[in-house]
Amino acid sequence: MSETNPAAAEVAAPHRYTAAVAAEIEARWQDVWDADGTYAAPNPKGDLAGDPGLVAKPKKYVMDMFPYPSGAGLHVGHPLGYIATDVFARFQRMTGHNVLHTLGFDAFGLPAEQHAVQTGEHPRVTTEAAINNMKSQLRRLGLGHDKRRSFATIDPEYYKWTQWIFVQIFNSWYDDKAKKARPISELVARFESGERAVPGGRSWDALSAAERADVLGEYRLAYASDAPVNWCPGLGTVLANEEVTADGRSERGNFPVFKAKLRQWNMRITAYADRLLDDLNELDWPEAIKLQQRNWIGRSEGARVDFPIDGEAITVFTTRQDTLFGATYMVLAPEHPLVEKFTPAAWPEGTHDVWTGGHATPAEAVAAYRAQAASKSDVERQAEAKDKTGVFTGAFATNPVNGEQIPVFIADYVLMGYGTGAIMAVPAHDTRDFAFARAFELPIRCVVEPSDGRGTDASTWDDAFVSYDAKIVNSHGEDVSLDGLGVTDAKARITEWLQRKGIGEGTVNFRLRDWLFSRQRYWGEPFPIVYDEDGIAHSLPESMLPLELPEVEDYSPRTFDPDDADTSPETPLSRNQDWVDVTLDLGDGRGPRPYRRETNTMPNWAGSCWYELRYLDPHNSEKLVDPEIEQYWMGPRAGQPHGGVDLYVGGAEHAVLHLLYARFWSKVLYDLGHISSPEPFHKLYNQGMIQAFVYRDSRGFPVPAAEIEERDGAFFHNGEQVKRELGKMGKSLKNAVTPEAICEEYGADTLRLYEMAMGPLDVSRPWDTRAVVGQYRLLQRLWRNVVDEATGEVTVVDAEPDETTLRALHKAIDGVRQDLEGLRFNTAIAKVTELNNHLTKAGAAVPRPVAESLVLLIAPLAPHIAEELWRKLGHTDSVVHQDFPVADPRYVVDETVTCVVQVKGKVKARLEVSPAISDDELEKVALADEKVVAALDGADIRKVIVRAPKLVNIVPA
Ligand code: ANZ
């Protein structure tokens, strides 16, 4: 039979496994699975439609990072993780687990909104079309999802609960003593009773409603505040730092961008910084991701120190309080609120020219420098390599350890948003301070003894000496000395001294900032917040949720004169008077009143902060999730002290924001008693990327990869030679391959196998369409080992397999089991291939037990062909819920040797053992052997002589 002539092959082998056969099988079984609810995972309460009722099985919750339904649809790179979780979930089902695996859609977002701005088409329409397209693309892959549990974040029944969670967060505060969130009503009760002092010292009764709201705003876990933002009047929107160019203009449109303050919602995630750090330790996550989260949270232990100035003080945050004697000047962030206060009217006598920046007065110098700093992003301001700029404020503060008067500068390398926004500068031992001191001719004093032989005269140094493991020198004052101490001891001593004097204290500082939660967009969740006539924010009662998005005429924000900084954003929702201005009875006893709705929407992260909970109980209209159901799927258990999803697979690009936000929401819901699991995801796994070759013509433009010809290792497009490089897959690079195209040519099972066989799951790999056929051939040989290609009859025989086949089989079973459990799908496929090749080579009809095991082994990877062959082998129930084969250890070892067991010098038994068996193991096996036990007849043993693997000699007492 010729493989190169399909028509001839079809005549000779009408029952061969071909793309057409694959297509027919796959569509047929997908329909059956859907109709039978094969992948429906029962809940403990059995309240989902079609629920078969809970069986007494251990649970396994397997989850993917859900997709954004892009209009472009999926290419073959997208489903890599979805196929992997599907294989794993199928394997878990076959090893006795009740498996929850489904997929929803993260469907709010900018692309649909931008499309709406351009075309006027409602983003819901385009989003739903994209979801439907993706669903059919995914269905074709045969993913075993419980479809009853799928939803999109734009569904009002879903975002009702996103809004509800916002309300819970708004109505709670963080109790630092109990280290948990509590209802805000408890805080109010404490203020009322006097159990807790009201900040400002007045009694709660004496405060107006607005004053009370202000006080509570300082505690709420969701709060509104004036946040500095990048306001671009020309675009009518606020921009992220990344969207602003180095010269302070918008990347898109090149309009001026102004720093403006805007009333925005924030989430007080900083209250959870410690717990977010500590709980990482118990999670089964890649170390690299844990490290990124730790860095993002950025815990620093140090001290706050007051530097007296004009009868007041500037407080600095330092991690090197041991270097206080080396502080020769101070720096405040340009925006620091105390700057004006201490800036004198004129330059002090003898002020150095380089300190003034050429300005006539300190006020002028400060104003000019502030304007310059405002146009830079934090990242630019902190860049190590950048020249240090700044200006003297004209003021001096007192170094509290030695009474020295040191000049106070403003400089942009100090950020307002970190620590206290003020530093003591120790140029001898901090790189940035050193550069600044050299530029401004400031004194540099060595207080940490250099260990590299450069000596303690800092005037001769080329750079700062930075060390945490050295001796402190030049550090003694009237009543404190650090000389001779190591860094750690010096820190402890000076901190104790500062505390005793009441001018400082040890403190922990975090890099983590509160989470800016407002967006000036249309296509997001509306806030469940209204403002009364006094401007006080109220949350909507649950009965008013979901608060649905209004229909609007225009999805774009209002734009202004690009140079008019005195404008502020006008969001698409704010133009809808009927929706914005409402009369409501919030059920708080105040009766119906006029309110104004919040007109920002939530950020795209909101919907993905808690979706793992909704899959559990997606149609519950009373609660976000039933506690018993949540406890069953997510609750803490042995090895998972914080509970969470058993396996969560997605890209490493979500290392920080999504995962941190979701962890934060879980902790709040846990504290408030709504869920039993303080962590959402117990095990996290990052799949690699599928890369693709990009072909570029002489001008550097990508040309369609599908039209490339390869000749002698060179690549041509329309006769012109082109360059090949490895890049991303996608439409813009003209190298996207769709899953449909591969399914069409080979079938979904081949695509699944190919993606899983390409390499270890966590490694990036290049797509190669020409290599896909290898997996197709594997499936053809598998088929041929069970089905006669000419007649379609099953060819297996009811015979005992021979010894070598048994060994090949059980070795494969053993290896595949371990590989599937460990997500090593590529090596699992290699083992199935080896077994299949063994059977092909043997040439004889395959014994039934071997054929059945082989089909079960491949079932998680290639479920359609497995289901078809399983039924052909005479079974009436689905392969999906069969038991995965278990290896017989006798056949797993490579080969065996015969071990002779003697009792009192007489041979009593012969054992087949592994040549690698240890003495200990062999002794155990020998003593447990029936014949040996009989020969000993309960006698005590004096001694056992073992010569593994061949001899055991037992000497009874
Ligand atoms: C004196 C000192 C001496 C410092 C020395 C360092 C080395 P991490 O570890 O990242 O927390 N710092 C404090 N607040 C700052 C701000 N708002 N903007 C820029 N820098 C700031 O860094 C803490 C250190 O960064 C602090 O310790 C402070 O400089 C600086 F030999 O104080 B250090």
Side-chain angles (χ1 to χ4, degrees):
M1 268 179 299
S2 152
E3 292 220 334
T4 51
N5 184 344
E10 233 161 78
V11 177
H15 297 279
R16 169 172 293 191
Y17 181 79
T18 58
V21 170
E24 189 275 322
I25 291 174
E26 289 170 1
R28 178 152 48 81
W29 288 119
Q30 284 164 12
D31 288 345
V32 173
W33 292 333
D34 275 355
D36 292 355
T38 302
Y39 304 105
N43 268 347
K45 290 182 141 178
D47 52 0
L48 280 165
D51 228 336
L54 188 63
V55 269
K57 283 181 180 174
K59 63 94 192 188
K60 200 59 101 177
Y61 187 3
V62 181
M63 196 171 143
D64 304 276
M65 289 185 189
F66 62 173
Y68 172 77
S70 145
L74 301 171
H75 60 60
V76 289
H78 293 119
L80 179 69
Y82 307 149
I83 296 172
T85 48
D86 186 53
V87 174
F88 183 74
R90 287 174 181 278
F91 174 66
Q92 295 299 327
R93 251 179 230 115
M94 296 177 77
T95 50
H97 294 92
N98 181 25
V99 175
L100 198 172
H101 191 208
T102 187
L103 192 71
F105 296 89
D106 189 15
F108 280 120
L110 261 190
E113 176 163 319
Q114 273 158 355
H115 181 78
V117 169
Q118 282 156 18
T119 64
E121 189 172 21
H122 197 293
R124 186 182 302 109
V125 175
T126 36
T127 307
E128 277 170 1
I131 288 177
N132 288 333
N133 177 40
M134 259 197 193
K135 276 188 174 167
S136 76
Q137 285 190 295
L138 290 169
R139 187 175 189 274
R140 188 130 189 213
L141 302 177
L143 303 173
H145 293 160
D146 184 346
K147 292 181 185 162
R148 305 164 310 160
R149 296 175 184 266
S150 178
F151 52 75
T153 51
I154 56 170
D155 299 343
E157 313 85 76
Y158 180 79
Y159 73 67
K160 164 182 173 173
W161 295 103
T162 311
Q163 293 171 332
W164 182 87
I165 294 170
F166 181 89
V167 172
Q168 308 312 304
I169 299 175
F170 172 72
N171 284 320
S172 51
W173 62 295
Y174 198 78
D175 180 346
D176 280 320
K177 287 216 187 71
K179 296 206 180 311
K180 63 182 271 202
R182 291 178 181 277
I184 198 88
S185 56
E186 290 183 15
L187 181 66
V188 173
R190 288 180 198 192
F191 284 147
E192 270 170 352
S193 71
E195 184 190 331
R196 197 178 168 119
V198 178
R202 292 165 65 197
S203 86
W204 189 250
D205 284 346
L207 301 185
S208 70
E211 286 168 331
R212 288 179 181 179
D214 284 347
V215 169
L216 295 180
E218 297 296 316
Y219 290 88
R220 290 184 189 276
L221 288 179
Y223 64 96
S225 74
D226 290 321
V229 292
N230 304 307
W231 165 232
C232 179
L235 290 174
T237 181
V238 164
L239 300 174
N241 284 339
E242 298 75 38
E243 297 168 315
V244 183
T245 64
D247 46 330
R249 301 179 78 87
S250 62
E251 193 119 75
R252 186 160 55 93
N254 197 31
F255 294 114
V257 176
F258 303 94
K259 281 256 179 327
K261 286 210 162 162
L262 203 63
R263 195 113 185 116
Q264 307 254 307
W265 283 95
N266 296 273
M267 291 265 168
R268 207 180 297 279
I269 188 172
T270 49
Y272 282 84
D274 264 323
R275 283 169 62 187
L276 288 168
L277 262 186
D278 293 346
D279 289 355
L280 275 177
N281 297 334
E282 306 283 357
L283 299 181
D284 184 0
W285 285 18
E287 271 312 312
I289 303 278
K290 287 191 186 181
L291 188 65
Q292 285 184 65
Q293 291 224 344
R294 288 195 184 105
N295 289 341
W296 189 266
I297 297 168
R299 185 179 197 277
S300 290
E301 272 183 42
R304 286 182 188 239
V305 184
D306 293 338
F307 283 64
I309 178 169
D310 293 352
E312 293 193 48
I314 299 174
T315 306
V316 304
F317 169 69
T318 175
T319 49
R320 293 302 301 269
Q321 59 270 39
D322 54 310
T323 63
L324 255 165
F325 285 92
T328 53
Y329 66 100
M330 294 183 81
V331 185
L332 306 191
E335 309 84 352
H336 198 292
L338 291 181
V339 173
E340 284 97 345
K341 195 162 185 182
F342 301 125
T343 301
W347 294 117
E349 193 75 30
T351 298
H352 209 308
D353 277 352
V354 285
W355 293 9
T356 65
H359 293 283
T361 64
E364 222 183 278
V366 164
Y369 190 74
R370 279 187 165 173
Q372 178 191 331
S375 66
K376 288 189 194 148
S377 73
D378 286 359
V379 179
E380 287 170 310
R381 285 173 51 163
Q382 291 249 300
E384 281 289 342
K386 167 180 131 354
D387 283 343
K388 296 289 169 282
T389 62
V391 74
F392 180 42
T393 62
F396 289 87
T398 311
N399 184 339
V401 290
N402 54 15
E404 252 175 46
Q405 292 295 297
I406 57 174
V408 180
F409 281 73
I410 56 172
D412 64 4
Y413 76 98
V414 173
L415 302 178
M416 196 53 226
Y418 188 65
T420 60
I423 67 160
M424 64 176 206
V426 184
H429 306 294
D430 180 273
T431 314
R432 291 176 303 180
D433 297 346
F434 187 92
F436 190 89
R438 277 284 151 89
F440 288 85
E441 300 178 27
L442 286 153
I444 302 177
R445 185 182 307 146
C446 169
V447 294
V448 181
E449 189 172 64
S451 50
D452 56 6
R454 60 167 81 185
T456 55
D457 177 5
S459 67
T460 64
W461 297 0
D462 295 330
D463 56 3
F465 174 71
V466 181
S467 169
Y468 303 91
D469 180 24
K471 213 169 70 183
I472 303 297
V473 293
N474 293 333
S475 297
H476 45 273
E478 257 168 39
D479 55 353
V480 62
S481 169
L482 307 178
D483 288 341
L485 296 177
V487 168
T488 313
D489 291 342
K491 278 188 186 179
R493 180 172 301 174
I494 196 71
T495 307
E496 190 270 326
W497 183 85
L498 291 166
Q499 246 152 293
R500 190 149 39 81
K501 292 262 171 181
I503 51 174
E505 58 179 355
T507 181
V508 174
N509 195 59
F510 292 95
R511 197 156 286 280
L512 183 68
R513 295 279 77 103
D514 280 343
W515 170 19
L516 186 66
F517 202 69
S518 296
R519 298 293 182 273
Q520 295 74 47
R521 308 268 185 222
Y522 173 75
W523 193 222
E525 298 88 346
F527 279 84
I529 290 286
V530 289
Y531 299 93
D532 65 20
E533 289 141 307
D534 298 325
I536 298 173
H538 300 263
S539 57
L540 294 178
E542 190 179 328
S543 60
M544 291 184 187
L545 304 181
L547 170 62
E548 294 201 36
L549 274 170
E551 301 297 318
V552 300
E553 304 267 292
D554 182 3
Y555 302 99
S556 43
R558 179 166 159 210
T559 56
F560 300 88
D561 171 357
D563 295 309
D564 188 356
D566 287 333
T567 47
S568 56
E570 197 179 287
T571 66
L573 293 185
S574 67
R575 285 193 297 263
N576 259 48
Q577 285 309 315
D578 295 353
W579 185 83
V580 174
D581 295 311
V582 282
T583 299
L584 301 172
D585 182 349
L586 298 181
D588 53 2
R590 307 198 317 160
R593 280 168 177 259
Y595 293 98
R596 193 179 150 72
R597 290 195 197 279
E598 167 65 57
T599 62
N600 283 296
T601 52
M602 297 190 197
N604 200 205
W605 305 107
S608 58
C609 267
W610 70 282
Y611 70 124
E612 76 284 356
L613 294 168
R614 196 59 179 172
Y615 284 151
L616 307 178
D617 198 8
H619 309 301
N620 194 334
S621 55
E622 304 292 315
K623 289 199 165 109
L624 99 150
V625 56
D626 181 281
E628 197 183 321
I629 295 173
E630 186 274 335
Q631 164 81 41
Y632 171 78
W633 289 110
M634 298 273 291
R637 56 203 68 220
Q640 303 184 8
H642 302 303
V645 172
D646 296 287
L647 176 66
Y648 188 38
V649 174
E653 68 276 12
H654 289 300
V656 180
L657 301 181
H658 157 58
L659 290 170
L660 206 58
Y661 297 154
R663 295 182 62 213
F664 164 52
W665 279 32
S666 280
K667 290 188 187 306
V668 179
L669 290 171
Y670 170 79
D671 285 355
L672 298 175
H674 299 299
I675 58 174
S676 70
S677 46
E679 285 288 340
F681 311 116
H682 175 68
K683 180 178 170 115
L684 174 73
Y685 191 94
N686 299 125
Q687 86 274 13
M689 284 245 298
I690 290 190
Q691 300 164 310
F693 289 115
V694 185
Y695 299 88
R696 293 185 189 274
D697 64 17
S698 52
R699 295 168 306 163
F701 292 123
V703 297
E707 298 166 12
I708 297 299
E709 274 177 77
E710 184 177 349
R711 268 178 268 142
D712 305 327
F715 304 95
F716 298 88
H717 181 249
N718 289 340
E720 188 203 342
Q721 185 161 357
V722 293
K723 274 210 191 107
R724 185 174 92 160
E725 64 195 47
L726 205 52
K728 274 189 151 185
M729 184 177 281
K731 279 208 169 130
S732 59
L733 295 176
K734 301 197 172 154
N735 60 359
V737 178
T738 64
E740 294 85 272
I742 303 298
C743 289
E744 190 89 5
E745 202 169 342
Y746 301 109
D749 281 336
T750 296
L751 173 63
R752 292 172 58 109
L753 276 180
Y754 175 67
E755 296 218 356
M756 292 299 98
M758 285 168 83
L761 185 58
D762 56 353
V763 170
S764 293
R765 63 296 286 291
W767 176 267
D768 182 3
T769 297
R770 291 168 309 179
V772 177
V773 71
Q775 298 303 325
Y776 179 60
R777 299 240 166 84
L778 166 66
L779 293 181
Q780 288 188 314
R781 286 193 300 271
L782 167 72
W783 181 268
R784 213 177 286 146
N785 278 330
V786 180
V787 177
D788 186 317
E789 290 187 338
T791 64
E793 294 296 311
V794 170
T795 55
V796 302
V797 289
D798 288 314
E800 280 302 308
D802 61 37
E803 177 91 9
T804 43
T805 300
L806 278 174
R807 286 193 187 288
L809 173 65
H810 287 279
K811 258 178 78 178
I813 293 173
D814 184 53
V816 171
R817 241 181 195 271
Q818 292 179 34
D819 287 347
L820 293 185
E821 186 67 50
L823 305 172
R824 293 182 299 273
F825 304 127
N826 56 329
T827 51
I829 292 170
K831 285 165 189 153
V832 173
T833 308
E834 200 179 310
L835 173 63
N836 194 52
N837 287 351
H838 168 85
L839 300 175
T840 304
K841 248 189 249 143
V846 177
R848 171 174 290 273
V850 181
E852 293 200 339
S853 293
L854 176 61
V855 167
L856 294 171
L857 283 185
I858 208 166
L861 292 151
H864 309 91
I865 191 173
E867 185 77 276
E868 179 71 10
L869 292 176
W870 185 249
R871 307 292 179 122
K872 278 193 189 299
L873 285 165
H875 300 278
T876 49
D877 46 358
S878 169
V879 77
V880 172
H881 292 284
Q882 299 305 315
D883 288 337
F884 203 77
V886 180
D888 182 336
R890 283 178 303 166
Y891 299 112
V892 173
V893 286
D894 269 342
E895 53 189 57
T896 59
V897 288
T898 307
C899 171
V900 173
V901 187
Q902 300 178 335
V903 177
K904 277 197 247 167
K906 283 193 195 127
V907 175
K908 291 291 172 190
R910 282 174 213 281
L911 307 172
E912 289 302 310
V913 297
S914 154
I917 196 163
S918 69
D919 283 355
D920 280 358
E921 186 64 19
L922 184 56
E923 178 176 332
K924 270 189 220 135
V925 175
L927 289 173
D929 185 83
E930 267 177 35
K931 289 184 195 133
V932 175
V933 171
L936 285 169
D937 196 21
D940 282 343
I941 294 163
R942 189 151 67 86
K943 138 164 133 184
V944 184
I945 301 152
V946 188
R947 297 275 177 275
K950 292 240 165 101
L951 178 81
V952 178
N953 193 353
I954 302 168
V955 187

